[in-house]
Amino acid sequence: MKKFKLYVLLSVCLLSSQLTKSQELKKSQLDSSNVASSASVGFEKLYLHLDREYYASGDDIWFKAYQVNALDNKLLDNSKCLYVELISPESEIIKREAIPLEKGTGYGDFHLKDSLPSGKYMIRAYTAWMQNFGAYFFFKKEIHVENVLGIKNTDSRHKSSVGLKPQIDVQLFPEGGSLVENVYSTVGVKAIDQTGKGCNIKGAVYSDSGDTVVAFESVNLGMGCFNFVPKHGINYYAAGSTDNGVKFKVPLPTVLRNGYTLKVMNSDSAIMRLGIRTNLETFQRDSGKEMFLVGTIRGSVVMTAKIVNRTIFNYLRVPQESLPEGIIRLTLFDSENKPQCERLAFIHHTKKSGLRIVAEKKSYAPREKTELKISVRDSTNHPLHANLSLAVVDRKLAGSPDLYSSDIYSYLLLESDLKGRIEQPARYFDPANTDRFNDLDVLLLTQGWRDFVWKHLADTTLKINHYPEKGICISGRLRRLLTNKPIVNANISLAMFDKGKLNFMSLASTDSTGKYYFSPLFFSGEQSLVVSATNKKNRSVGWISLDSIFGNPVPIQPLNLSEPMISSPEMSNMKEEAVQRYNINQYSLKDNIQLAEVVVTARKEKDKDDGHSRIYGTPDYSIQVTDKDANYSDVFQLIQGRVAGLFISGSYPNISISIRGARQNPLFLLDGAPVDIETIASLPVSVVDKVEVLKNAGLALFGMRGANGVISIFTKTGNNERNYAPVYNSINAKVNGFYESRIFYSPKYDDPNNNKKKPDLRATIFWQPNVITDKDGNAVVSFFNADHTTDIDIRLEGISSSGDPLNAYSTYQMISKDNP
């Protein structure tokens, strides 16, 4: 590699780039990069699009999940199971759903109970694979819930910020990490009040002798910066006050005798300029030595630069279009591979895909049909395929909207890479905000200085304890009855029933630890499972157990969810309308015509479903056990002589049972699971509900085990009498699979059968989680409006096939029919 006297050789490489031998750094220095490469499936990011942020008790929360590759934001078909949780202000999980993911997307909903107290709640989402990297990477979003019945949270841990004494926390962040003597330095300022929100301040930097060095003030949500040259032997402090007169005085960080600073300049242009500065003393010490500047984006090395230290100021130019869009971590390593300074910057792409949404009219009448036209184009105006979700909400019923609240673009490119709360994240990407580039740079200079998410991967050695779930896994263990030793190579059969009908059947065998697995499986709702174990001779064996099919929730760190301060007119309207909506739903029958008393004389037909799960369908013979049969000594005496072709001779233990002349005993099933004849013989007749015999029907399902016929015994539902031998080799259990997402109800007012008398006060007018553009990049959706005359907000979010986060916002008005 050539060496240039006063120049820097900058090599930019994407994704698969590697350092040459002369540029190679110790593995410990490239911590996050090595972590990324060790995980072959890559890092996942999650984003949830919610229909709104403000809800009333009794409402529904609708959400769409996007799973993307952390590096390029393309939909990632990796994990197939997503956990979504609703967390209370007391940091307790009050609802948890397992959502199936297909090609990187999935959707679901939560229903908020009427008894849910007012307060701030949190939606948390993650996959099993994400747990390897810590909760920093989980998706989290605060929502506001207002109880229509006035129920407040009385828990002592639930503290309100109302009435707190005004306070201020001012922090100072030197660019690059440290102040260095006689080096021109930039210092970021961040001020927050007692509620954790940014507040405006004015102040100045003073020397310890009281001399004013430089004045400063915040310019954006309590953030700002100032420049000065720190001198040897002088201590500095900053002092000033907020707009409402709260004073502050904080010391500046200690000034170092030696070191480097890293400055980012012009980050908003196509070329980002970087400046590396040091003082004369440091330069004389390191003159001629090599340094390396390494850039990582979301855990992967994307650029490296070799610098020959021949001046106190080195200047670099970085073309941004060649790098992935988002936050880049720039770290300067010295000749001994020690990090000297670090800075976060943002890579902007000038050429971006565009999402457009247009309503056919600017205003509509109540219950009128609305049609929205959607188009997605790349930077050259070519159509793009995109996976989108659409929320249409009544502004008056959804609270006061914040157009700068989080969206898929700000989350994937900014919020998910910075730890801590970011106020108004979308403002940093709004073209109408002419200061957005400078504001974003100050954000990274301050909050990014200490709260960069990816750096936490270096805190501990990465251990892969969780693997991507490719579906539902039904697993367990088979052990010996009297010892905990595993039974190896045993046959495990699984039968799954949905409302009494066979849904799935499979076979597996135990491994060297006695474990068995059935995966991947895809089913939703409650299912009945029958899992049983036999040896190679098809005889019952061992003691079988069943694991939980979904992982346990990740522990929750205490959340700071203070009671929301709702005082705006918009929020008052939301509460009033929510109460009205609640009353209509509770007493909607009062508008119906009251009928005279009706006497029902028809006899109810007995339900054909007897509550028992069976895999063989209709048996050849079925015997319903009644109270009159309780005198029989055992099941064999009960059925003797009552089934054609069934012959029983002798009594247990010297008993012979034959179906249609077979020389061996039939297969015995107890509540669907294979058992030994000893278990059937010890079964009291008083606990038996039904006995079924199979001579022909369904025998093929049991293979060789059913070649001699099948006798199936079902016990009474809810029976507590267990004075017969327990069944260890079989489990009959009910489990819940993936959450069955509901379909958003959208009334069709062009249908004459629709109830048009009942008031329609929907807060969410329309929700569609699956809007897919066609080959021309277009899509059309339609729906009917509700009754209110109000402003309607439309939010459309999603991911293009090229990995571009997409979002669009629009609005239209609902006007009275009497209005011209």
Side-chain angles (χ1 to χ4, degrees):
M1 181 179 292
K2 295 181 180 180
K3 295 184 178 180
F4 297 84
K5 293 184 178 180
L6 296 177
Y7 299 89
V8 176
L9 178 62
L10 176 65
S11 61
V12 177
C13 44
L14 294 175
L15 307 184
S16 61
S17 64
Q18 296 181 351
L19 299 174
T20 63
K21 290 184 178 180
S22 63
Q23 297 170 322
E24 194 171 11
L25 303 176
K26 292 181 180 178
K27 290 183 179 180
S28 60
Q29 307 300 333
L30 295 179
D31 44 37
S32 59
S33 176
N34 288 333
V35 170
S37 62
S38 69
S40 59
V41 296
F43 287 114
E44 298 173 343
K45 275 191 180 182
L46 280 171
Y47 175 76
L48 264 61
H49 177 197
L50 276 62
D51 62 323
R52 44 198 167 103
E53 296 181 10
Y54 293 86
Y55 299 88
S57 56
D59 281 351
D60 295 311
I61 300 173
W62 303 90
F63 60 82
K64 166 79 171 283
Y66 296 89
Q67 174 190 231
V68 302
N69 186 310
L71 188 60
D72 58 14
N73 287 325
K74 291 184 178 180
L75 289 175
L76 184 65
D77 194 16
N78 187 37
S79 296
K80 299 290 188 180
C81 179
L82 171 67
Y83 300 103
V84 185
E85 299 163 345
L86 177 62
I87 301 174
S88 72
E90 294 75 44
S91 304
E92 297 175 351
I93 297 174
I94 55 179
K95 286 196 174 186
R96 187 175 194 244
E97 296 173 358
I99 303 296
L101 293 173
E102 183 178 356
K103 295 182 179 179
T105 66
Y107 54 92
D109 55 87
F110 286 120
H111 178 71
L112 302 179
K113 294 182 178 179
D114 293 335
S115 58
L116 202 66
S118 297
K120 285 185 182 179
Y121 292 75
M122 177 173 284
I123 301 290
R124 185 174 75 162
Y126 56 91
T127 66
W129 178 247
M130 294 175 73
Q131 296 180 49
N132 294 303
F133 314 110
Y136 297 106
F137 296 88
F138 294 1
F139 174 86
K140 306 179 190 71
K141 185 177 182 65
E142 286 185 11
I143 62 170
H144 304 250
V145 176
E146 184 68 23
N147 186 276
V148 297
L149 303 177
I151 301 175
K152 302 292 183 181
N153 198 311
T154 58
D155 194 289
S156 60
R157 295 169 294 178
H158 188 71
K159 298 179 181 180
S160 173
S161 59
V162 177
L164 291 180
K165 182 180 179 180
Q167 295 178 348
I168 183 173
D169 178 22
V170 177
Q171 300 177 66
L172 305 173
F173 306 99
E175 186 173 21
S178 303
L179 295 174
V180 181
E181 287 183 3
N182 299 316
V183 176
Y184 182 82
S185 301
T186 299
V187 179
V189 181
K190 183 175 178 64
I192 57 175
D193 61 17
Q194 70 277 4
T195 68
K197 294 183 178 181
C199 59
N200 292 327
I201 61 171
K202 289 184 180 180
V205 175
Y206 301 91
S207 66
D208 50 10
S209 60
D211 295 330
T212 302
V213 177
V214 61
F216 65 86
E217 62 180 298
S218 60
V219 294
N220 168 45
L221 300 174
M223 292 177 286
C225 63
F226 59 86
N227 302 304
F228 83 118
V229 179
K231 299 298 183 181
H232 172 67
I234 300 178
N235 295 319
Y236 300 92
Y237 67 91
S241 63
T242 64
D243 288 346
N244 58 356
V246 180
K247 297 184 181 299
F248 67 88
K249 181 179 179 180
V250 293
L252 265 66
T254 302
V255 180
L256 303 181
R257 291 287 303 272
N258 299 286
Y260 295 86
T261 66
L262 176 60
K263 186 171 184 60
V264 174
M265 301 168 285
N266 252 21
S267 63
D268 57 327
S269 63
I271 302 295
M272 179 170 61
R273 296 185 292 120
L274 306 175
I276 300 172
R277 290 183 171 92
T278 188
N279 55 25
L280 184 59
E281 185 177 351
T282 306
F283 170 69
Q284 290 174 345
R285 184 195 68 185
D286 297 340
S287 179
K289 296 180 180 179
E290 294 181 346
M291 297 189 297
F292 302 97
L293 183 69
V294 178
T296 57
I297 292 183
R298 293 180 280 277
S300 293
V301 176
V302 295
M303 59 157 284
T304 62
K306 177 183 175 182
I307 303 168
V308 179
N309 198 1
R310 298 184 184 279
T311 179
I312 62 173
F313 176 70
N314 288 289
Y315 175 78
L316 294 82
R317 293 167 56 87
V318 179
Q320 300 204 53
E321 287 295 334
S322 58
L323 298 173
E325 188 172 22
I327 296 177
I328 184 170
R329 174 187 182 183
L330 300 165
T331 309
L332 180 68
F333 296 92
D334 65 15
S335 58
E336 297 179 356
N337 297 326
K338 296 179 180 178
Q340 291 296 310
C341 52
E342 186 170 281
R343 173 70 150 92
L344 299 187
F346 197 91
I347 300 299
H348 297 274
H349 283 182
T350 56
K351 298 179 180 179
K352 299 179 181 179
S353 301
L355 173 63
R356 191 166 178 237
I357 180 168
V358 178
E360 56 183 345
K361 298 194 301 182
K362 293 183 178 181
S363 61
Y364 293 86
R367 305 197 178 192
E368 185 179 356
K369 186 175 183 180
T370 297
E371 185 174 274
L372 302 177
K373 294 183 178 179
I374 298 165
S375 64
V376 183
R377 301 289 185 269
D378 64 15
S379 58
T380 60
N381 204 34
H382 285 89
L384 275 179
H385 179 78
N387 194 314
L388 308 165
S389 47
L390 173 69
V392 182
V393 301
D394 183 334
R395 184 182 299 176
K396 185 167 59 175
L397 301 186
S400 179
D402 181 3
L403 297 182
Y404 284 150
S405 62
S406 176
D407 58 39
I408 191 169
Y409 194 91
S410 67
Y411 182 82
L412 292 180
L413 295 180
L414 178 64
E415 297 169 80
S416 57
D417 288 345
L418 289 180
K419 184 172 173 285
R421 182 173 180 268
I422 299 176
E423 289 185 68
Q424 301 181 5
R427 77 185 310 274
Y428 299 104
F429 305 100
D430 181 12
N433 177 15
T434 56
D435 295 324
R436 63 188 184 280
F437 296 115
N438 291 331
D439 291 345
L440 178 54
D441 194 56
V442 173
L443 173 72
L444 297 180
L445 177 62
T446 55
Q447 187 161 333
W449 190 88
R450 67 196 189 285
D451 281 336
F452 188 55
V453 170
W454 298 91
K455 71 181 179 184
H456 293 281
L457 289 175
D459 292 345
T460 58
T461 302
L462 178 64
K463 294 181 180 179
I464 302 298
N465 297 318
H466 305 273
Y467 295 91
E469 293 177 309
K470 299 301 181 180
I472 295 174
C473 178
I474 294 176
S475 63
R477 185 173 182 265
L478 183 67
R479 49 163 284 191
R480 299 188 182 278
L481 279 176
L482 300 180
T483 67
N484 196 28
K485 293 184 178 180
I487 298 179
V488 181
N489 294 326
N491 297 321
I492 308 296
S493 63
L494 167 67
M496 186 183 301
F497 306 90
D498 185 2
K499 298 177 182 178
K501 296 182 179 179
L502 179 64
N503 186 31
F504 177 79
M505 188 173 182
S506 183
L507 298 174
S509 59
T510 56
D511 61 17
S512 60
T513 64
K515 292 286 290 185
Y516 64 89
Y517 302 91
F518 295 91
S519 179
L521 304 177
F522 294 88
F523 60 91
S524 58
E526 187 180 72
Q527 304 279 322
S528 297
L529 300 182
V530 177
V531 186
S532 56
T534 58
N535 59 21
K536 295 299 181 182
K537 297 182 179 180
N538 290 323
R539 298 181 65 87
S540 302
V541 64
W543 189 345
I544 196 169
S545 63
L546 182 67
D547 299 332
S548 173
I549 66 173
F550 293 119
N552 294 324
V554 176
I556 303 171
Q557 296 298 324
L559 304 176
N560 182 22
L561 298 177
S562 60
E563 185 177 354
M565 295 178 291
I566 303 176
S567 59
S568 67
E570 292 85 359
M571 293 307 299
S572 297
N573 287 336
M574 189 202 80
K575 288 189 287 185
E576 291 175 5
E577 297 289 350
V579 171
Q580 183 181 357
R581 188 166 65 251
Y582 171 81
N583 290 333
I584 289 175
N585 291 335
Q586 288 292 105
Y587 307 108
S588 58
L589 292 178
K590 67 184 179 182
D591 294 330
N592 295 342
I593 299 175
Q594 186 174 0
L595 300 178
E597 180 181 0
V598 177
V599 179
V600 179
T601 57
R603 184 179 63 186
K604 180 181 177 182
E605 184 175 325
K606 186 177 180 180
D607 191 348
K608 296 180 181 179
D609 185 0
D610 58 8
H612 299 304
S613 299
R614 48 180 68 78
I615 65 176
Y616 47 77
T618 304
D620 295 302
Y621 287 92
S622 180
I623 301 173
Q624 181 67 51
V625 180
T626 66
D627 294 338
K628 297 179 181 180
D629 300 318
N631 294 327
Y632 288 103
S633 61
D634 56 35
V635 172
F636 303 126
Q637 188 184 73
L638 167 71
I639 63 177
Q640 188 172 17
R642 301 174 70 173
V643 178
L646 172 66
F647 300 97
I648 300 177
S649 61
S651 60
Y652 185 80
N654 300 312
I655 191 171
S656 174
I657 302 173
S658 173
I659 296 179
R660 299 184 68 176
R663 296 183 178 182
Q664 296 183 8
N665 288 338
L667 171 67
F668 295 102
L669 301 178
L670 180 60
D671 289 331
V675 294
D676 295 327
I677 190 174
E678 292 86 353
T679 301
I680 301 301
S682 63
L683 192 67
V685 175
S686 60
V687 303
V688 178
D689 179 57
K690 185 176 289 187
V691 180
E692 296 180 345
V693 179
L694 280 73
K695 298 191 295 182
N696 299 303
L699 292 181
L701 291 170
F702 303 100
M704 293 300 297
R705 293 185 299 168
N708 301 308
V710 176
I711 295 179
S712 177
I713 296 96
F714 294 102
T715 58
K716 294 177 181 178
T717 303
N719 172 67
N720 293 319
E721 187 176 348
R722 290 290 179 182
N723 57 352
Y724 56 90
V727 180
Y728 292 101
N729 75 300
S730 179
I731 293 176
N732 195 332
K734 291 186 181 295
V735 297
N736 286 305
F738 286 124
Y739 175 72
E740 292 182 285
S741 180
R742 294 174 295 157
I743 298 176
F744 180 85
Y745 172 69
S746 180
K748 299 183 182 299
Y749 289 120
D750 56 354
D751 183 353
N753 296 321
N754 197 295
N755 181 8
K756 298 183 180 181
K757 293 184 178 181
K758 183 178 179 179
D760 187 349
L761 305 180
R762 281 171 290 156
T764 297
I765 306 298
F766 186 68
W767 167 255
Q768 175 53 262
N770 288 320
V771 179
I772 310 297
T773 58
D774 59 20
K775 61 182 179 61
D776 296 319
N778 299 324
V780 177
V781 295
S782 60
F783 53 89
F784 288 86
N785 289 289
D787 286 342
H788 279 113
T789 56
T790 181
D791 291 327
I792 303 296
D793 291 324
I794 308 169
R795 287 191 180 273
L796 185 67
E797 299 187 346
I799 296 287
S800 74
S801 56
S802 58
D804 294 321
L806 302 170
N807 67 291
Y809 171 81
S810 186
T811 185
Y812 64 85
Q813 286 187 320
M814 290 281 296
I815 60 174
S816 172
K817 290 183 179 180
D818 299 330
N819 243 347

